[in-house]
Amino acid sequence: MVNRTPRDPAAVHNNYSFQVDLRGIVDLLSHHLYSSPRVYLRELLQNAVDAVTARNRLDPLAPTAIRLTIGEDGLRISDPGIGLTETDVHRFLATIGRSSKRDDIEGARREFLGQFGIGLLACFTVAETIRVVSRSATAPTAPPVEWLASADGTYSVRVLDPADYAEPGTSVWLTARGGAQEWFQPRRVTDLAREFGSLLPYEVTVESDAGVTTVTEGVPVWRRAFASADQRRAALLEYGRRTLGFPPLDVIELEAGAAGVSGVAYVLSQPGNPSDSSAHRVYLKGMLLGDAVRGVLPDWAFFVRGVIDTDTLRPTASREGLYEDERLAVVREVLGDRIRDWLTEIAAEQPQRLAAFLSVHALGVKAMAGHSADLLRIMLPHLHFETTDGRVPLTDFTRNHRIVRVTATVEEFRQVAATAAAQGIGVVNGGYAYDRELVAQLPRLLPGVEVVDLDAGAITAALDPVDPGEESALAPVLALARTVLDPLACDVIVRAFHPVTVPALYLDGRAARNERARAQTAEEADELWAEILGALAVTTPRAQLVLNHHSPIVRRLSRIDDPAFLRTAVESLYGQALLMTHRPLSAADTALLNRAFGEFLGWATQRAADRGEETE
């Protein structure tokens, strides 16, 4: 008997290689990885710069000039760099995802621009064929080699005669694909080469029928020496205007060599948007990474646009942004400290410069001060807040008011500002962005200062009571007024206060405002929601209409003997007091105002008609 052991399927392995559709890869690059075909020129420059850098490490005296030549059918770029052998060509040019710099990734970050091994494929977004001729500087006896690739995914390799290519280096020819000729126009190529490569450490020239143009500028302007500080500032401002397209209000140098970053931040001449993180022009070892890169500066620094060069930060695969990692977080913090230091310096030494900055970017400084108690302490004498004493620094305001009352909204401040100021009550408008948060920090910065939320009861308590005899004379008026305004959840009291031009003051706490909003929403809701909101109703919080006994208008109310007309007068005072709060009116309030206005208009026209009849 023969024992047959079943064959284990897991013991059999068949190995296969992935099949890559180059056209699909090109489509992926052009439509998803890269933002535009324009990056093809950056990839060409990047490969050339990396090749020159690699050779320069071996031979510091080797040539470094990179040349772009525009012909009738396409473009050629030549560099005297490290070059490739035939083995290198198969290994690096024909294998997607392999980079000659990947073997030493830390070195690549410091010495080279590319890390991903897919850059040359970006050229297929504009080219039908790519021809590479290269001779290695590290293997002098190796012959030059040609690599010829087509967009259909095929390529060929052949060895060339050493006599035809005696010097090490690489030349790349691109033949334009149909519909992509615009990317090979001399002006377009020159503009792209200048945009991407103006700060490269090697000379880059563009040659065409129009002549030869050098697109590199040499040492970045912020690394150059100047005869005076004024000349340096003028040169930096001019560079910002030319590069960013707007005249900067000021300039902040961002030298942070320890973090591997240098550059400048330009202060916007118009207010920035605090909710929009700023975008910056970032170079990676002199090669433009992008002109709208986010995350390199703190979000609170929305009032500046940076031009920055770095050799430590990691680019994304498309090399159009920065990889969010711990290193970027450190750089962001360091650059934020530079901006804070600049503000501290001009606050202490250059008040005119600070005043010009704050006239545009006070909001940005307040946002920044919320992150730094030290900065807030320095800037506090220079930041203005809306208060019952006018627009003044809080350091001045607290000299007169050791108890600082702060409102939650602009409307709440407007509601009480005139009356509180007349009564000597110190109130700060906390309704603007960042103001309330900064006012809350005052006790830590100014000993003896107390900050409390504004309470309508505090305003009422500060108003002078009316003599009982005089108040009793207004008793009929108060009784009718309370009856009229009771459906609107508003009580009526009488006090004496200034200014006399304010006949009535509408006061409500936050609980009363919440109840008012609930009632208004219930009126507009369907039956189900109205029932739910009705269950949430409370009777305790009510607004107050405070009649001003100092006002002649209020004192004359007792002379009105027509109840209907007195009702209209009370409704008018209520409506005027509501309008003084600058808050949106409910449908009921609007109807009340319209009715009171109509009745007053009817009464005035009837009185005019009666006088006309008497004259006749």
Side-chain angles (χ1 to χ4, degrees), residues 188-519:
R188 173 66 67 88
V189 172
T190 302
D191 289 345
L192 289 177
R194 179 178 288 112
E195 179 179 4
F196 286 119
S198 61
L199 299 187
L200 288 173
Y202 312 122
E203 181 184 73
V204 178
T205 58
V206 179
E207 182 178 354
S208 66
D209 292 340
V212 178
T213 302
T214 301
V215 299
T216 43
E217 300 178 359
V219 178
V221 63
W222 57 86
R223 292 179 185 153
R224 299 175 192 169
F226 292 89
S228 68
D230 289 341
Q231 289 184 10
R232 180 178 183 81
R233 175 176 165 81
L236 290 173
L237 288 172
E238 171 57 25
Y239 178 80
R241 183 199 63 77
R242 177 165 51 87
T243 304
L244 300 180
F246 67 86
L249 178 68
D250 214 324
V251 59
I252 308 170
E253 298 200 43
L254 298 177
E255 183 63 38
V261 177
S262 67
V264 286
Y266 291 98
V267 180
L268 300 177
S269 52
Q270 299 294 329
N273 183 359
S275 63
D276 184 20
S277 61
S278 55
H280 309 281
R281 191 175 183 87
V282 177
Y283 293 83
L284 181 62
K285 308 177 189 72
M287 179 74 76
L288 179 67
L289 196 68
D291 57 5
V293 178
R294 300 185 183 276
V296 70
L297 290 181
D299 289 341
W300 51 257
F302 58 83
F303 49 86
V304 299
R305 295 292 180 269
V307 181
I308 297 164
D309 186 33
T310 175
D311 61 3
T312 59
L313 299 179
R314 293 174 56 195
T316 58
S318 66
R319 287 183 286 278
E320 295 180 324
L322 292 172
Y323 189 80
E324 185 67 44
D325 58 9
E326 184 177 354
R327 186 172 298 175
L328 178 57
V330 170
V331 167
R332 187 161 49 230
E333 182 177 356
V334 169
L335 296 184
D337 289 341
R338 294 292 181 272
I339 297 175
R340 273 191 282 260
D341 292 344
W342 174 80
L343 272 175
T344 302
E345 179 182 340
I346 65 171
E349 302 175 6
Q350 304 179 58
Q352 292 182 341
R353 207 168 160 189
L354 176 67
F357 170 75
L358 289 179
S359 67
V360 179
H361 296 294
L363 183 63
V365 175
K366 288 181 177 180
M368 184 168 51
H371 296 266
S372 171
D374 291 338
L375 180 65
L376 178 58
R377 185 178 291 104
I378 294 169
M379 298 302 297
L380 201 57
H382 309 286
L383 296 175
H384 288 71
F385 293 74
E386 186 175 16
T387 75
T388 46
D389 289 356
R391 288 195 60 82
V392 297
L394 292 178
T395 48
D396 295 345
F397 182 77
T398 53
R399 293 192 186 101
N400 302 320
H401 307 283
R402 304 306 288 177
I403 297 179
V404 177
R405 291 179 169 85
V406 58
T407 66
T409 65
V410 173
E411 291 76 13
E412 189 178 4
F413 176 81
R414 292 172 177 172
Q415 177 181 343
V416 303
T419 303
Q423 305 304 126
I425 301 173
V427 181
V428 177
N429 187 350
Y432 294 115
Y434 310 114
D435 284 12
R436 184 175 173 83
E437 293 81 0
L438 296 181
V439 171
Q441 298 187 43
L442 285 179
R444 294 194 297 110
L445 303 177
L446 303 174
V449 172
E450 181 182 357
V451 175
V452 297
D453 290 337
L454 177 69
D455 182 6
I459 300 296
T460 304
L463 304 180
D464 295 332
V466 178
D467 180 86
E470 294 177 336
E471 184 173 359
S472 62
L474 285 174
V477 175
L478 294 174
L480 184 142
R482 287 165 182 154
T483 301
V484 170
L485 299 182
D486 184 69
L488 299 174
C490 182
D491 293 330
V492 182
I493 62 175
V494 60
R495 294 288 188 274
F497 56 88
H498 293 280
V500 297
T501 54
V502 178
L505 182 65
Y506 183 86
L507 295 176
D508 59 346
R510 288 172 195 163
R513 286 195 296 275
N514 292 338
E515 172 60 19
R516 179 184 176 89
R518 183 211 60 79

Side-chain angles (χ1 to χ4, degrees), residues 83-105:
L84 300 170
T85 64
E86 183 178 0
T87 301
D88 294 334
V89 165
H90 286 287
R91 183 183 179 195
F92 299 125
L93 298 187
T95 305
I96 296 174
R98 181 181 294 276
S99 170
S100 61
K101 285 82 69 173
R102 189 180 300 279
D103 294 336
D104 182 10
I105 195 67

